[in-house]
Amino acid sequence: PANAPQTGWKLSYTANGSAAKELTVTGSTAALSPVVPGATYVFTLQPADGSDVLGGELTYKVPDAAPFPAYGVSADNLEFMMCRQPSYKRWDRWSLSSSDYRTEFKAGEKGAFVIKRNASYVHTEDKVVTLTVIKDESGAILDAASFTEDWADMWVKGYCYLNLPAMPQAAGNYTAEIYFSGDLATSVPFTVK
């Protein structure tokens, strides 16, 4: 806007009580990415010098996600198996032993998912945004990351492999959520010991 400070606006936000993140915005809009369905974001806006603007906080609740139904499959006919992520880059289900499939992790271990498609699907090169979200026991968002890939390229002989970008380091109970193009595909509780 015309009255924007020369140094820009300081936009601070939290999602479901997560640690605050901060952006410097020089224009009239700011893009948050990724945005987590169902999350409540709390924003404060200040000039970069820290003085108060707009009388405090602004709260926005993102609409909840619907269950995933697309390309001939749904959340009901996709099987999500959480596992320990192997240390090498290219891995698949044959790289894993039965003990790698787990929902209990040691601090420092990386998590992943093997997703099995239990139904045929429509072959398409539509771009699908995959969003992974890690929440703590209170529902605070600890990590959210997304990537875009062709739906057909995600699957190899009925399987999809998905690395979680970050795992909590503190002991506790957590939840991993996976969304495909904004729709909830699964929510899996897990523990870090």
Short mmCIF file of all heavy atoms in Angstrom, two decimals, residues 4-41:
data_model
loop_
_atom_site.label_atom_id
_atom_site.label_comp_id
_atom_site.label_asym_id
_atom_site.label_seq_id
_atom_site.Cartn_x
_atom_site.Cartn_y
_atom_site.Cartn_z
N ALA A 4 2.89 2.03 3.15
CA ALA A 4 3.77 0.98 3.68
C ALA A 4 5.11 1.59 4.08
O ALA A 4 5.64 2.46 3.39
CB ALA A 4 3.99 -0.11 2.64
N PRO A 5 5.68 1.13 5.20
CA PRO A 5 7.00 1.63 5.59
C PRO A 5 8.06 1.23 4.55
O PRO A 5 7.95 0.19 3.92
CB PRO A 5 7.28 0.93 6.92
CG PRO A 5 6.06 0.18 7.27
CD PRO A 5 5.15 0.14 6.10
N GLN A 6 9.07 2.05 4.39
CA GLN A 6 10.13 1.76 3.42
C GLN A 6 10.84 0.46 3.74
O GLN A 6 11.32 -0.23 2.84
CB GLN A 6 11.14 2.90 3.38
CG GLN A 6 10.61 4.13 2.67
CD GLN A 6 11.69 5.18 2.53
OE1 GLN A 6 12.60 5.29 3.35
NE2 GLN A 6 11.60 5.96 1.47
N THR A 7 10.93 0.12 5.02
CA THR A 7 11.61 -1.12 5.42
C THR A 7 10.68 -2.33 5.36
O THR A 7 11.09 -3.44 5.65
CB THR A 7 12.18 -0.98 6.84
OG1 THR A 7 11.11 -0.60 7.72
CG2 THR A 7 13.29 0.04 6.88
N GLY A 8 9.42 -2.14 5.00
CA GLY A 8 8.48 -3.25 4.87
C GLY A 8 7.74 -3.53 6.17
O GLY A 8 7.97 -2.91 7.20
N TRP A 9 6.82 -4.46 6.08
CA TRP A 9 6.03 -4.91 7.23
C TRP A 9 6.66 -6.15 7.82
O TRP A 9 7.19 -6.99 7.09
CB TRP A 9 4.61 -5.24 6.81
CG TRP A 9 3.82 -4.12 6.23
CD1 TRP A 9 3.59 -3.91 4.90
CD2 TRP A 9 3.17 -3.07 6.92
NE1 TRP A 9 2.83 -2.78 4.73
CE2 TRP A 9 2.55 -2.25 5.96
CE3 TRP A 9 3.05 -2.73 8.27
CZ2 TRP A 9 1.82 -1.12 6.30
CZ3 TRP A 9 2.32 -1.61 8.61
CH2 TRP A 9 1.72 -0.82 7.63
N LYS A 10 6.54 -6.32 9.12
CA LYS A 10 6.96 -7.55 9.78
C LYS A 10 5.69 -8.36 10.05
O LYS A 10 4.83 -7.92 10.83
CB LYS A 10 7.70 -7.24 11.08
CG LYS A 10 8.22 -8.49 11.78
CD LYS A 10 9.09 -8.15 12.96
CE LYS A 10 8.24 -7.65 14.11
NZ LYS A 10 8.97 -7.47 15.37
N LEU A 11 5.55 -9.50 9.39
CA LEU A 11 4.40 -10.38 9.58
C LEU A 11 4.86 -11.57 10.40
O LEU A 11 5.75 -12.32 10.00
CB LEU A 11 3.86 -10.86 8.23
CG LEU A 11 2.71 -11.85 8.29
CD1 LEU A 11 1.47 -11.21 8.90
CD2 LEU A 11 2.40 -12.38 6.90
N SER A 12 4.27 -11.74 11.56
CA SER A 12 4.58 -12.85 12.44
C SER A 12 3.34 -13.73 12.53
O SER A 12 2.22 -13.21 12.59
CB SER A 12 4.96 -12.32 13.83
OG SER A 12 5.21 -13.39 14.72
N TYR A 13 3.51 -15.06 12.49
CA TYR A 13 2.34 -15.93 12.56
C TYR A 13 2.66 -17.24 13.26
O TYR A 13 3.81 -17.68 13.30
CB TYR A 13 1.76 -16.19 11.17
CG TYR A 13 2.63 -16.99 10.26
CD1 TYR A 13 2.47 -18.37 10.15
CD2 TYR A 13 3.62 -16.39 9.48
CE1 TYR A 13 3.28 -19.12 9.31
CE2 TYR A 13 4.42 -17.13 8.64
CZ TYR A 13 4.24 -18.50 8.56
OH TYR A 13 5.04 -19.25 7.73
N THR A 14 1.63 -17.84 13.82
CA THR A 14 1.70 -19.17 14.40
C THR A 14 0.59 -20.00 13.77
O THR A 14 -0.39 -19.45 13.24
CB THR A 14 1.51 -19.16 15.93
OG1 THR A 14 0.20 -18.67 16.23
CG2 THR A 14 2.56 -18.30 16.62
N ALA A 15 0.72 -21.31 13.82
CA ALA A 15 -0.30 -22.23 13.32
C ALA A 15 -0.59 -23.25 14.41
O ALA A 15 0.30 -24.00 14.79
CB ALA A 15 0.17 -22.92 12.05
N ASN A 16 -1.80 -23.23 14.92
CA ASN A 16 -2.20 -24.15 16.00
C ASN A 16 -1.26 -24.05 17.20
O ASN A 16 -0.94 -25.06 17.82
CB ASN A 16 -2.27 -25.60 15.52
CG ASN A 16 -3.45 -25.88 14.65
OD1 ASN A 16 -4.17 -24.98 14.26
ND2 ASN A 16 -3.68 -27.14 14.34
N GLY A 17 -0.81 -22.85 17.49
CA GLY A 17 0.06 -22.67 18.66
C GLY A 17 1.50 -23.06 18.45
O GLY A 17 2.26 -23.21 19.40
N SER A 18 1.92 -23.20 17.20
CA SER A 18 3.31 -23.56 16.90
C SER A 18 4.23 -22.39 17.24
O SER A 18 3.78 -21.29 17.55
CB SER A 18 3.44 -23.90 15.41
OG SER A 18 3.16 -22.75 14.62
N ALA A 19 5.52 -22.63 17.15
CA ALA A 19 6.50 -21.55 17.32
C ALA A 19 6.25 -20.50 16.24
O ALA A 19 5.91 -20.83 15.10
CB ALA A 19 7.91 -22.10 17.22
N ALA A 20 6.41 -19.25 16.59
CA ALA A 20 6.15 -18.15 15.66
C ALA A 20 7.16 -18.15 14.52
O ALA A 20 8.34 -18.43 14.71
CB ALA A 20 6.18 -16.82 16.39
N LYS A 21 6.67 -17.83 13.34
CA LYS A 21 7.52 -17.62 12.17
C LYS A 21 7.34 -16.17 11.75
O LYS A 21 6.30 -15.57 11.99
CB LYS A 21 7.12 -18.56 11.04
CG LYS A 21 7.38 -20.01 11.37
CD LYS A 21 7.11 -20.91 10.19
CE LYS A 21 7.39 -22.35 10.59
NZ LYS A 21 7.18 -23.27 9.50
N GLU A 22 8.36 -15.64 11.11
CA GLU A 22 8.32 -14.22 10.77
C GLU A 22 8.74 -14.01 9.31
O GLU A 22 9.67 -14.64 8.83
CB GLU A 22 9.27 -13.47 11.70
CG GLU A 22 9.04 -11.99 11.72
CD GLU A 22 9.85 -11.34 12.83
OE1 GLU A 22 9.43 -11.43 13.99
OE2 GLU A 22 10.91 -10.78 12.51
N LEU A 23 8.01 -13.10 8.64
CA LEU A 23 8.33 -12.72 7.27
C LEU A 23 8.44 -11.21 7.21
O LEU A 23 7.74 -10.50 7.93
CB LEU A 23 7.20 -13.13 6.32
CG LEU A 23 6.82 -14.58 6.17
CD1 LEU A 23 5.55 -14.69 5.34
CD2 LEU A 23 7.94 -15.34 5.48
N THR A 24 9.27 -10.69 6.33
CA THR A 24 9.27 -9.27 6.02
C THR A 24 8.56 -9.12 4.68
O THR A 24 8.91 -9.77 3.70
CB THR A 24 10.69 -8.71 5.93
OG1 THR A 24 11.32 -8.88 7.21
CG2 THR A 24 10.68 -7.24 5.58
N VAL A 25 7.51 -8.30 4.67
CA VAL A 25 6.67 -8.14 3.49
C VAL A 25 6.83 -6.70 2.99
O VAL A 25 6.61 -5.75 3.73
CB VAL A 25 5.18 -8.41 3.85
CG1 VAL A 25 4.31 -8.27 2.61
CG2 VAL A 25 5.03 -9.78 4.48
N THR A 26 7.22 -6.56 1.73
CA THR A 26 7.43 -5.23 1.18
C THR A 26 6.24 -4.77 0.34
O THR A 26 6.10 -3.59 0.08
CB THR A 26 8.70 -5.18 0.32
OG1 THR A 26 8.62 -6.19 -0.69
CG2 THR A 26 9.93 -5.41 1.18
N GLY A 27 5.38 -5.67 -0.07
CA GLY A 27 4.21 -5.30 -0.87
C GLY A 27 2.95 -5.32 -0.03
O GLY A 27 2.99 -5.23 1.20
N SER A 28 1.81 -5.50 -0.70
CA SER A 28 0.53 -5.50 0.00
C SER A 28 0.01 -6.90 0.28
O SER A 28 -1.04 -7.06 0.87
CB SER A 28 -0.51 -4.72 -0.81
OG SER A 28 -0.66 -5.32 -2.09
N THR A 29 0.76 -7.94 -0.14
CA THR A 29 0.35 -9.32 0.13
C THR A 29 1.55 -10.14 0.58
O THR A 29 2.69 -9.79 0.32
CB THR A 29 -0.25 -9.99 -1.14
OG1 THR A 29 0.75 -10.02 -2.15
CG2 THR A 29 -1.47 -9.25 -1.64
N ALA A 30 1.22 -11.24 1.25
CA ALA A 30 2.24 -12.20 1.66
C ALA A 30 1.69 -13.59 1.38
O ALA A 30 0.52 -13.85 1.63
CB ALA A 30 2.57 -12.06 3.14
N ALA A 31 2.52 -14.47 0.87
CA ALA A 31 2.11 -15.83 0.57
C ALA A 31 2.73 -16.77 1.59
O ALA A 31 3.95 -16.78 1.77
CB ALA A 31 2.53 -16.22 -0.83
N LEU A 32 1.89 -17.55 2.27
CA LEU A 32 2.36 -18.57 3.19
C LEU A 32 2.30 -19.90 2.48
O LEU A 32 1.30 -20.22 1.83
CB LEU A 32 1.47 -18.64 4.44
CG LEU A 32 1.30 -17.37 5.24
CD1 LEU A 32 0.45 -17.65 6.47
CD2 LEU A 32 2.64 -16.81 5.64
N SER A 33 3.34 -20.67 2.60
CA SER A 33 3.35 -21.98 1.96
C SER A 33 4.20 -22.92 2.78
O SER A 33 5.30 -22.57 3.18
CB SER A 33 3.93 -21.86 0.55
OG SER A 33 3.91 -23.12 -0.10
N PRO A 34 3.69 -24.10 3.05
CA PRO A 34 2.34 -24.55 2.77
C PRO A 34 1.36 -24.08 3.84
O PRO A 34 1.75 -23.76 4.95
CB PRO A 34 2.48 -26.06 2.79
CG PRO A 34 3.59 -26.33 3.75
CD PRO A 34 4.53 -25.17 3.63
N VAL A 35 0.08 -24.06 3.48
CA VAL A 35 -0.99 -23.77 4.41
C VAL A 35 -1.64 -25.10 4.78
O VAL A 35 -1.96 -25.90 3.91
CB VAL A 35 -2.02 -22.80 3.78
CG1 VAL A 35 -3.22 -22.60 4.69
CG2 VAL A 35 -1.35 -21.47 3.46
N VAL A 36 -1.82 -25.34 6.07
CA VAL A 36 -2.30 -26.63 6.55
C VAL A 36 -3.82 -26.59 6.73
O VAL A 36 -4.33 -25.74 7.47
CB VAL A 36 -1.62 -27.00 7.88
CG1 VAL A 36 -2.16 -28.31 8.43
CG2 VAL A 36 -0.11 -27.08 7.69
N PRO A 37 -4.56 -27.49 6.08
CA PRO A 37 -6.01 -27.53 6.25
C PRO A 37 -6.39 -27.73 7.72
O PRO A 37 -5.74 -28.47 8.45
CB PRO A 37 -6.43 -28.75 5.42
CG PRO A 37 -5.35 -28.89 4.39
CD PRO A 37 -4.09 -28.49 5.10
N GLY A 38 -7.45 -27.04 8.13
CA GLY A 38 -7.95 -27.18 9.49
C GLY A 38 -7.17 -26.42 10.54
O GLY A 38 -7.57 -26.37 11.70
N ALA A 39 -6.05 -25.80 10.18
CA ALA A 39 -5.21 -25.10 11.16
C ALA A 39 -5.75 -23.70 11.42
O ALA A 39 -6.36 -23.08 10.56
CB ALA A 39 -3.77 -25.01 10.66
N THR A 40 -5.50 -23.22 12.63
CA THR A 40 -5.84 -21.85 12.99
C THR A 40 -4.55 -21.04 13.02
O THR A 40 -3.64 -21.34 13.80
CB THR A 40 -6.54 -21.80 14.36
OG1 THR A 40 -7.75 -22.56 14.28
CG2 THR A 40 -6.86 -20.37 14.76
N TYR A 41 -4.48 -20.04 12.16
CA TYR A 41 -3.31 -19.16 12.07
C TYR A 41 -3.61 -17.87 12.82
O TYR A 41 -4.70 -17.32 12.71
CB TYR A 41 -2.98 -18.85 10.61
CG TYR A 41 -2.37 -20.01 9.87
CD1 TYR A 41 -3.16 -21.04 9.37
CD2 TYR A 41 -1.00 -20.08 9.68
CE1 TYR A 41 -2.59 -22.11 8.69
CE2 TYR A 41 -0.42 -21.15 9.00
CZ TYR A 41 -1.22 -22.16 8.51
OH TYR A 41 -0.66 -23.22 7.85
#
